[in-house]
Amino acid sequence: MRALLKSALAGVACCAAGAALAADAGKPLAAPPQRWLMPTLDARAIEARCGVEYARARNRMHAMEKRGEPGAILAEWNRLSSSVQDFIGPVFLLANTATDAATRKVALGCAERFTTLEIEPFQSPKLYARVRGLRPADAIERQYRQDLLDTFEDAGIALKADKRKRVREIREDIEKISLQFQSNVNEDQSVVTIAPEQARGLPQDWINTRKRDAEGRLIVTLDTPTYTSFLDNAIDEHARRDLYVAKMRQGGSANLELLDRVLALRHEMAQLYGYPDFATFSLRRAMAKTPAAVAEFLAKVRGAVDEGETRDLDALHADKASMLGRPVADVTLHRWDVSFHEERVRRSRYQVDQEALRSYFPSEKSVAFTMRLAEMLYGIAFVARDVPRWSSDVRYYDVFERTASAPGAFIGGIYLDLFPRDGKYTHAAAFTLRSVSTLSGRKPASALVANLDRTGLTQEELETLLHEFGHVLHGVLSKTRYVDHGGTNVKRDFVEAPSQMFEEWARREQPLHLFAEICRECPPLSPQMVERLRKARLFGIGILYARQWQYANYDMVLHTGSPPSALQAWIEIERASRLGHVEGTILPASFGHLVGGYAAGYYGYMWSQVLALDMLSGFHGRMLDPVAGRRYRKVILEMGGQRPPQELVETFLGRKPNSDAFFAEISGARD
Ligand SMILES: [Zn+2]
């Protein structure tokens, strides 16, 4: 995932390699002159500056309104977007990651206040006239002008005054609700306590590091590594069920109300423009264009995964029956059984044990591996720097062009915030702190926020690390003229493609072979083991994509026609599936995509993956080939959103993209 304050204004989605380079240089390197660092902001500082920065941005906007001619409107807009992002980018990150609750709360309030700037400039007839009057000098200017005009149109510039006012209220309400929704999930401190013997199946280390309550029961938290390990490994089915239900209640019923309100507001807004529903309104800006195109795509996905899902669920069902020593007909397979029995089958069929993989992929070495891959493929170098950070857990790197002897030109900066903390964002995402602009010499910075296990990663967690790193690289390696085109500011159903593509480097023999160079003490991965990992990953893929189809379908149901009750619609969709609905669970309450930028856009994960898997063919099986890597960097990453994604992918592949690799993947048949 990536996080994004979705407007054209504000963007959101010390290790071996870098440290070695710094040491080679012999003396500490001076800070690059164009380097930007995250400002140190606590609750008090944000409170003091929020109003000032807000007023400054509005003044800038009013100054832009005073000029009559188109003039340098695009450059002016670029300065406006830059100045807003410089303040609200860090504030939005802190709302999700600050170590103290007071800062998170004040940051959230300030981010809410700034939501008005997502729409106010785009309701200004004077600014609209300036942008419309501009004669673009080249394709990039034409694209930026068109993107701004689309945003004006989406903000209701062509509507009558009363409707335009209502659009503004609705948009501001939605932004505020979205921030509150995510905060409710982040701040949910629910836990499950279990008797120590109920942790049977978990590694001893895992058991030892749990906190205990006064009665000596283990406290199991809902953060991703804890939850995933427990569901994968705990033999006690009741304990698994309790944790599953608690996780599926995260965010609480207050969030269901917020979600219903957002759906009603979106529907009302679409109708103000004369569109039948939000899906029709929103998709006209995406690659897919229409709800019908999404429906056709999802129907093909459904058809392609049916058989695999049935086969995989049958295997899990049989495994559960055999474990319990009972006939299959007497045993029910539940949702909290899925990952547990998947792991059992993967262990017995392919001798792949995800918990054991943690010793193959220690967390710090995995980070070093990820950075080394990026260095090799894209010809860059990371240099660790000791700079102010929002938590002692966070690390920072300067990114340079790689040259033979020393770091070359400065590119940008990245922050990594990798491990769980109380009150922190609960998923994994890349936050754009600062987008590039070649026009103003502005250098980019992004933050990777994740919740990895501290000791070591499973293969899936390694994929997650690479995925988010893919977003971060998209941000940092783009070289667009305007900040609003920087990195992940691309069409929503393309944004996941670079990150999904990078996941493949956690699966292939050549890159995994490199892991041995980075971690000499790690157990080596033989080619046979990489092949077993591949087969183990493909087992369960029918279940995985059937679930992805469910999410995407649910999102479309919510946004097509009049909005239904969000919970009721979800219950109906789950009930229609083989594993059914678990009474008392309210999954939509933590489904942040639905209130954030992925509304009527969740299908985009699979739509992007079509392109991600197709683009792999551009590497011709040579996963570490720097020539292919640099070409990809130049054609796809550097261009950000300043050219249409179809055009970029076609240029990279030298042909029209196709979905063959994607459909092979989801039916478990990809090599
Ligand atoms: Zn993502």
Side-chain angles (χ1 to χ4, degrees):
M1 178 170 173
R2 66 163 184 164
L4 187 72
L5 270 176
K6 304 157 292 301
S7 75
L9 276 180
V12 195
C14 309
C15 305
L21 190 72
D24 287 348
K27 57 176 186 249
L29 296 158
Q34 295 152 308
R35 178 166 79 183
W36 174 91
L37 293 175
M38 176 86 179
T40 312
L41 293 169
D42 59 8
R44 195 186 298 180
I46 295 171
E47 205 140 36
R49 282 186 56 194
C50 192
V52 177
E53 296 288 344
Y54 181 76
R56 183 177 296 165
R58 292 192 75 230
N59 288 341
R60 196 183 277 275
M61 187 185 86
H62 292 315
M64 286 162 64
E65 283 177 325
K66 288 206 179 91
R67 297 180 194 115
E69 295 301 305
I73 181 67
L74 297 184
E76 289 170 43
W77 212 293
N78 194 49
R79 279 197 292 277
L80 175 67
S81 293
S82 302
S83 66
V84 171
Q85 188 187 46
D86 281 349
F87 179 66
I88 208 62
V91 167
F92 184 62
L93 177 69
L94 289 173
N96 283 284
T97 59
T99 51
D100 66 305
T103 302
R104 292 196 299 272
K105 187 158 178 268
V106 172
L108 183 72
C110 181
E112 278 180 11
R113 183 166 187 185
F114 267 71
T115 56
T116 61
L117 288 176
E118 307 242 330
I119 187 157
E120 194 180 349
F122 296 100
Q123 289 204 340
S124 159
K126 289 175 183 163
L127 293 180
Y128 181 59
R130 288 192 69 195
V131 175
R132 217 170 46 157
L134 180 85
R135 297 263 166 276
D138 61 14
I140 294 171
E141 282 197 1
R142 191 172 310 120
Q143 181 74 44
Y144 191 29
R145 175 180 175 273
Q146 190 54 50
D147 291 344
L148 289 175
L149 290 179
D150 287 351
T151 314
F152 274 106
E153 194 186 308
D154 290 355
I157 193 74
L159 298 178
K160 291 214 172 74
D162 57 331
K163 284 188 177 177
R164 195 160 69 221
K165 180 164 167 280
R166 184 61 192 139
V167 165
R168 181 168 165 176
E169 288 165 4
I170 290 173
R171 288 271 301 266
E172 287 171 15
D173 277 359
I174 291 174
E175 294 293 342
K176 285 175 191 163
I177 292 172
S178 163
L179 289 165
Q180 188 57 53
F181 185 100
Q182 194 56 56
S183 170
N184 287 348
V185 178
N186 294 353
E187 304 287 340
D188 189 334
Q189 302 291 323
S190 303
V191 296
V192 170
T193 63
I194 57 167
E197 60 272 19
Q198 288 184 294
R200 208 154 50 88
L202 272 303
Q204 195 56 43
D205 258 10
W206 187 97
I207 296 170
N208 294 345
T209 47
R210 282 326 94 187
K211 289 185 181 146
R212 291 176 185 243
D213 69 6
E215 288 137 48
R217 290 170 67 84
L218 301 181
I219 299 172
V220 185
T221 50
L222 299 183
D223 62 82
T224 309
T226 307
Y227 174 78
T228 311
S229 286
F230 199 84
L231 267 280
D232 284 358
N233 296 293
I235 294 164
D236 188 313
E237 186 184 332
H238 295 294
R240 272 200 324 267
R241 182 196 60 202
D242 290 351
L243 193 66
Y244 173 83
V245 171
K247 182 78 176 172
M248 295 301 136
R249 293 191 57 78
Q250 223 177 357
S253 49
N255 268 4
L256 293 176
E257 276 174 43
L258 293 180
L259 179 55
D260 281 331
R261 266 172 57 200
V262 165
L263 296 177
L265 288 167
R266 285 190 188 128
H267 188 64
E268 185 191 343
M269 183 171 73
Q271 298 215 311
L272 287 173
Y273 294 93
Y275 289 101
D277 49 38
F278 182 76
T280 311
F281 169 75
S282 168
L283 285 165
R284 75 200 202 289
R285 302 288 182 223
M287 292 176 84
K289 295 266 192 286
T290 63
V294 174
E296 191 189 330
F297 174 66
L298 290 179
K300 273 172 78 181
V301 170
R302 183 68 255 181
V305 298
D306 261 348
E307 199 187 311
E309 186 198 18
T310 302
R311 187 183 55 227
D312 293 347
L313 285 173
D314 285 347
L316 302 186
H317 200 171
D319 184 63
K320 182 170 180 182
S322 109
M323 187 181 95
L324 299 175
R326 286 161 47 193
V328 170
D330 293 355
V331 171
T332 308
L333 183 74
H334 296 289
R335 292 202 178 273
W336 52 82
D337 293 327
V338 170
S339 58
F340 176 76
H341 287 285
E342 275 178 349
E343 288 314 315
R344 268 178 53 95
V345 172
R346 286 179 183 134
R347 283 195 294 267
S348 65
R349 278 194 197 170
Y350 310 111
Q351 297 82 52
V352 167
D353 178 347
Q354 290 292 332
E355 277 308 313
L357 278 178
R358 294 187 195 281
S359 66
Y360 288 80
F361 303 129
S363 301
E364 292 298 338
K365 299 291 183 185
S366 299
V367 175
F369 164 70
T370 305
M371 297 175 87
R372 177 73 67 86
L373 285 177
E375 290 185 327
M376 289 177 71
L377 278 171
Y378 304 130
I380 55 177
F382 297 100
V383 179
R385 304 288 201 162
D386 188 12
V387 301
R389 296 147 299 163
W390 56 94
S391 155
S392 55
D393 247 3
V394 176
R395 63 210 54 193
Y396 171 83
Y397 299 85
D398 282 332
V399 187
F400 294 96
E401 297 290 349
R402 178 175 280 280
T403 60
S405 54
F410 176 68
I411 298 173
I414 61 169
Y415 291 89
L416 308 180
D417 184 352
L418 299 170
F419 305 114
R421 255 192 328 270
D422 282 350
K424 182 179 148 177
Y425 185 72
T426 55
H427 298 280
F431 287 68
T432 301
L433 293 167
R434 199 174 151 89
S435 298
V436 71
S437 166
T438 56
L439 184 69
S440 61
R442 180 182 172 88
K443 299 296 181 183
S446 289
L448 192 163
V449 178
N451 287 278
L452 301 177
D453 185 283
R454 275 181 190 276
T455 54
L457 308 185
T458 62
Q459 190 176 27
E460 198 181 315
E461 286 169 334
L462 184 62
E463 286 177 6
T464 300
L465 176 63
L466 285 164
H467 177 105
E468 300 307 338
F469 214 86
H471 283 309
V472 162
L473 290 172
H474 200 184
V476 169
L477 296 182
S478 69
K479 284 190 180 167
T480 57
R481 188 182 300 165
Y482 301 108
V483 296
D484 290 333
H485 283 153
T488 50
N489 287 323
V490 295
K491 285 204 185 286
R492 197 185 46 195
D493 45 7
F494 180 67
V495 70
E496 297 299 327
S499 48
Q500 287 169 334
M501 194 189 80
F502 205 34
E503 289 175 25
E504 189 76 358
W505 275 254
R507 301 169 189 149
R508 295 286 167 180
E509 195 187 334
Q510 295 154 356
L512 289 175
H513 191 69
L514 182 73
F515 211 105
E517 279 177 34
I518 286 163
C519 185
R520 296 196 185 282
E521 63 279 21
C522 291
L525 281 166
S526 64
Q528 294 77 9
M529 184 158 172
V530 174
E531 177 58 13
R532 291 204 313 272
L533 284 176
R534 188 183 76 83
K535 287 188 173 148
R537 186 184 76 84
L538 290 176
F539 174 73
I541 209 145
I543 298 172
L544 178 78
Y545 280 97
R547 191 70 165 165
Q548 285 297 308
W549 172 86
Q550 248 180 2
Y551 293 150
N553 181 42
Y554 175 55
D555 171 39
M556 292 307 290
V557 165
L558 293 184
H559 295 102
T560 310
S562 294
S565 146
L567 180 61
Q568 206 48 47
W570 174 247
I571 290 174
E572 279 165 27
I573 284 177
E574 277 207 314
R575 279 198 181 137
S577 69
R578 175 161 158 187
L579 294 174
H581 172 71
V582 179
E583 210 54 49
T585 60
I586 51 170
L587 177 139
S590 60
F591 201 163
H593 294 80
L594 298 175
V595 294
Y598 287 75
Y602 195 86
Y603 76 93
Y605 274 96
M606 290 189 285
W607 190 282
S608 288
Q609 205 175 3
V610 169
L611 298 172
L613 296 178
D614 202 15
M615 286 194 296
L616 280 173
S617 66
F619 286 82
H620 305 286
R622 296 188 294 273
M623 304 298 283
L624 300 178
D625 177 11
V627 177
R630 266 159 246 208
R631 198 171 117 70
Y632 175 77
R633 175 184 169 189
K634 193 154 193 59
V635 175
I636 305 284
L637 300 179
E638 285 189 1
M639 294 303 275
Q642 71 188 7
R643 301 301 307 140
Q646 301 91 317
E647 185 187 306
L648 299 183
V649 176
E650 211 174 313
T651 306
F652 179 64
L653 291 175
R655 60 166 169 80
K656 291 225 178 296
N658 67 59
S659 54
D660 297 351
F662 173 75
F663 282 103
E665 163 81 6
I666 69 174
S667 51
R670 190 165 69 92
D671 280 338

